[in-house]
């Protein structure tokens, strides 16, 4: 981070402390990672092993500020600024955005909250409580990458252009210029969002809209959402997700199903289907075992169908309220030609990884 950024932030936060509640926070997650058939960036390779120090294998490393001020009459102003970090190098996750993860301000009343700015989509909100892996390992988790559209750049089936106002090709997990409503009504949580494309002369291009609904009661959580994105040519990307979680004693069971369809031209489409399931078992008060399986299948006009199966196992030991040590292992089996080629050689159809890491929340 440039020194000038830090000076400005410290000035803002010191003034804000005198008027309202402002909380700095973050996550530092780092692990020693070994992989074979897949490199440190989680891309398939021809063969061979790779050793690395990797950031965010459990939870994405980040830093930020959040705060609120009560205005009385059951009305609160709130804000949040959050940026991703690569702890292995000290660099920001996105070089073009200081707060790439969140940057919004809003107001909350008894009828819900309305926020505006750069925010995660309601697809990501919907899967957050029902993802079998508990939203761990964002760069490799298929529900984050494929169901919630964080990384659709997979070989011949890549979408290839920007849908919505994310600012990036093939990544639409967070959007700029978004209005988001969240209403909490007892066991029901309702969500709706709209993001302005801000394309001169075309109010539809790059815009998005979506709705979501969740039910939570007596250990049961059912959560779903639908979104429609537009690209600059006004082609549609539609995405759906529906999942459930259930607490059964010391075991929590989770399943989720997702689907998306992108019109990549007037005559071509790409479709993706994602099914996932898993369980988290509390072995002791401070030791948890989590397993998850994901099945991804893809279809694209003019290309052979492909996809991949991916499984994970996490063993986590709570060292304190803020610190957790963990061991992670993952296995990927690429289907058809999804693994792709490197040069003139076909990449390995299988890849696996092992990580020993430490996560600290502050």
């Amino acid at each position: 981070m440039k020194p000038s950024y830090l000076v400005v932030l410290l000035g803002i936060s010191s003034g804000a402390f005198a008027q309202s509640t402002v909380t700095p926070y973050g996550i530092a997650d780092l692990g020693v990672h070994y992989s074979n058939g897949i490199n440190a960036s989680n891309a398939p390779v021809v063969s061979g092993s790779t050793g690395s120090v990797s950031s965010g294998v459990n939870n994405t490393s980040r830093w930020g500020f959040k705060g609120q001020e009560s205005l009385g009459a059951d009305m609160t102003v709130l804000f949040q600024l959050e940026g991703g970090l690569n702890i292995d190098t000290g660099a920001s996750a996105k070089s073009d955005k200081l707060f790439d993860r969140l940057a919004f301000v809003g107001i909350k009343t008894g009828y819900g909250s309305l926020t505006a700015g750069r925010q995660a989509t309601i697809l990501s909100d919907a899967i957050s409580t029902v993802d079998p892996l508990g939203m761990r390992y964002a760069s490799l988790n298929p529900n984050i990458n494929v169901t919630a559209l964080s990384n659709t750049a997979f070989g011949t089936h890549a979408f290839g252009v920007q849908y919505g106002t994310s600012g990036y090709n093939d990544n639409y997990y967070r959007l700029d210029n978004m209005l988001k409503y969240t209403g909490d009504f007892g066991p029901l949580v309702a969500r709706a969002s709209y993001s302005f494309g801000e394309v001169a002369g075309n109010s539809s291009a790059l815009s998005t809209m979506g709705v979501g609904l969740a039910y939570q009661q007596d250990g049961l959580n059912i959560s779903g959402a639908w979104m429609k994105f537009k690209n600059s040519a006004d082609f549609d990307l539609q995405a759906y997700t529906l999942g459930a979680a259930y607490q059964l004693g010391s075991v929590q069971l989770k399943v989720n199903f997702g689907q998306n369809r992108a019109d990549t031209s007037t005559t071509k489409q790409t479709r993706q289907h994602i099914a996932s399931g898993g369980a988290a078992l509390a072995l002791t008060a401070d030791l948890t075992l989590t397993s998850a399986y994901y099945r991804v299948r893809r279809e694209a006009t003019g290309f052979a169908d492909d996809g991949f199966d991916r499984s994970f196992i996490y063993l986590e030991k709570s060292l304190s309220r803020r610190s957790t040590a963990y061991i992670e292992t993952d296995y990927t089996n690429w289907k058809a030609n999804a693994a792709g080629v490197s040069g003139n050689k076909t990449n390995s159809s299988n890849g696996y990884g092992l990580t020993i890491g430490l996560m600290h929340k502050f």
Side-chain angles (χ1 to χ4, degrees):
M1 183 189 303
K2 294 182 179 179
S4 58
Y5 286 152
L6 185 58
V7 170
V8 171
L9 287 172
L10 290 175
I12 291 173
S13 62
S14 62
F17 269 108
Q19 304 172 40
S20 60
T21 300
V22 178
T23 305
Y25 68 92
I27 296 175
D29 182 312
L30 200 64
V32 177
H33 183 69
Y34 167 86
S35 60
N36 193 294
I38 189 168
N39 64 19
S41 299
N42 301 318
V45 294
V46 174
S47 63
S49 59
T50 303
S52 62
V53 175
S54 298
S55 176
V57 172
N58 195 308
N59 274 219
T60 302
S61 298
R62 67 197 73 171
W63 71 291
F65 299 87
K66 57 184 175 181
Q68 61 182 34
E69 181 180 22
S70 175
L71 303 180
D74 197 25
M75 186 176 295
T76 302
V77 171
L78 51 87
F79 82 94
Q80 190 165 357
L81 304 171
E82 183 176 293
L85 294 172
N86 295 325
I87 298 297
D88 52 327
T89 64
S92 296
K94 299 288 187 183
S95 60
D96 60 329
K97 294 182 185 289
L98 178 60
F99 296 111
D100 64 295
R101 293 176 60 86
L102 295 169
F104 67 80
V105 65
I107 193 162
K108 182 177 181 180
T109 71
Y111 298 100
S113 63
L114 180 64
T115 51
R118 181 170 176 81
Q119 303 174 74
T121 68
I122 59 175
L123 290 174
S124 64
D125 293 339
I127 67 171
S128 63
T129 55
V130 295
D131 172 47
L133 203 58
M135 304 297 278
R136 295 174 178 83
Y137 212 160
S139 62
L140 201 63
N141 184 326
N143 268 342
I144 295 176
N145 288 327
V146 187
T147 305
L149 304 170
S150 176
N151 181 11
T152 64
F154 293 118
T156 57
H157 291 56
F159 295 166
V161 297
Q162 178 181 328
Y163 289 82
T165 52
S166 68
Y168 307 107
N169 290 351
D170 296 303
N171 181 342
Y172 331 118
Y173 188 90
R174 296 179 178 87
L175 299 175
D176 300 340
N177 316 322
M178 178 189 284
L179 294 177
K180 182 193 285 189
Y181 167 79
T182 304
D184 193 336
F185 306 102
L188 292 177
V189 177
R191 302 182 178 100
S193 68
Y194 183 83
S195 184
F196 295 88
E198 298 189 357
V199 176
N202 189 341
S203 61
S204 175
L206 295 182
S207 67
T208 67
M209 64 177 67
V211 292
L213 189 65
Y215 172 86
Q216 305 175 56
Q217 190 162 323
D218 299 328
L220 175 65
N221 187 317
I222 301 173
S223 182
W226 165 86
M227 287 194 71
K228 182 167 74 173
F229 304 70
K230 293 280 190 176
N231 69 9
S232 59
D234 254 344
F235 295 145
D236 284 354
L237 163 60
Q238 295 196 51
Y240 315 79
T241 183
L242 179 64
Y246 185 67
Q247 189 71 43
L248 187 64
S250 60
V251 179
Q252 186 176 48
L253 306 172
K254 295 182 178 181
V255 295
N256 196 79
F257 301 92
Q259 180 176 321
N260 52 64
R261 184 203 70 218
D263 296 325
T264 54
S265 77
T266 55
T267 59
K268 295 184 178 181
Q269 284 187 345
T270 295
R271 293 176 179 266
Q272 301 186 109
H273 314 270
I274 312 95
S276 57
L281 171 63
L283 300 172
T284 65
D286 58 0
L287 190 64
T288 302
L289 180 67
T290 302
S291 62
Y293 167 77
Y294 298 83
R295 181 182 186 273
V296 179
R297 295 295 182 268
R298 308 183 305 163
E299 308 153 11
T301 305
F303 295 101
D305 297 350
D306 68 14
F308 59 91
D309 297 331
R310 183 168 290 158
S311 55
F312 298 84
I313 295 177
Y314 272 79
L315 183 64
E316 296 169 293
K317 168 72 172 178
S318 295
L319 305 178
S320 69
R321 186 170 62 90
R322 296 180 179 272
S323 299
T324 301
Y326 62 90
I327 299 175
E328 172 274 342
T329 184
D330 56 81
Y331 176 79
T332 301
N333 176 233
W334 303 98
K335 302 296 183 181
N337 64 350
V341 297
S342 296
N344 59 356
K345 295 184 178 180
T346 301
N347 291 326
S348 174
S349 61
N350 300 296
Y352 60 87
L354 175 68
T355 309
I356 298 175
L358 179 66
M359 176 177 63
H360 178 74
K361 298 180 178 182
F362 57 91

